[in-house]
Amino acid sequence: MATKLAEAASESLKYQTWVLKVSIHCEGCKRKVKKVLQGVEGVYTTMIDSPQQKVTVTGNVNAETLFGKLLKTMKHVELWPEKAEKKNKKQG
């Protein structure tokens, strides 16, 4: 029984961080996206950078679930391009 409890605890601590590009035009869009993502089971934190249209989600959830929820709200969503991040780090 103790091993099952330990396995469940270690399973719940496997958080992933997803960086998404979501169409956010105003504060209303930002609130809507945050509300939808906070309602997804397994999401731990959400950080939204409106000017860059960048949303960072941390939790025990897969990207397909996040995409599905955001697409239902008629928001265009895609994974954040990794090449742009690497280019910014080299320049900075």
Side-chain angles (χ1 to χ4, degrees):
M1 180 154 179
T3 57
K4 287 185 180 181
L5 186 59
E7 286 176 11
S10 68
E11 191 69 31
S12 65
L13 296 176
K14 292 182 181 177
Y15 291 133
Q16 291 182 314
T17 300
W18 298 102
V19 182
L20 309 172
K21 184 173 183 178
V22 182
S23 62
I24 299 172
H25 303 98
C26 62
E27 284 299 311
C29 293
K30 182 178 175 179
R31 282 192 302 270
K32 186 175 187 179
V33 168
K34 188 163 185 98
K35 183 177 179 182
V36 166
L37 292 175
Q38 289 292 331
V40 175
E41 186 177 338
V43 171
Y44 182 64
T45 62
T46 57
M47 293 184 337
I48 300 175
D49 183 358
S50 298
Q52 287 189 327
Q53 298 186 354
K54 184 177 183 178
V55 178
T56 307
V57 181
T58 303
N60 191 5
V61 64
N62 60 22
E64 292 82 21
T65 303
L66 300 174
F67 275 58
K69 293 290 185 177
L70 289 170
L71 288 173
K72 283 183 183 178
T73 64
M74 307 304 277
K75 293 289 176 192
H76 176 76
V77 60
E78 59 188 62
L79 284 175
W80 190 264
E82 291 182 30
K83 291 180 182 178
E85 284 186 17
K86 290 178 183 177
K87 206 180 273 186
N88 287 342
K89 286 181 181 178
K90 287 181 182 177
Q91 290 175 356

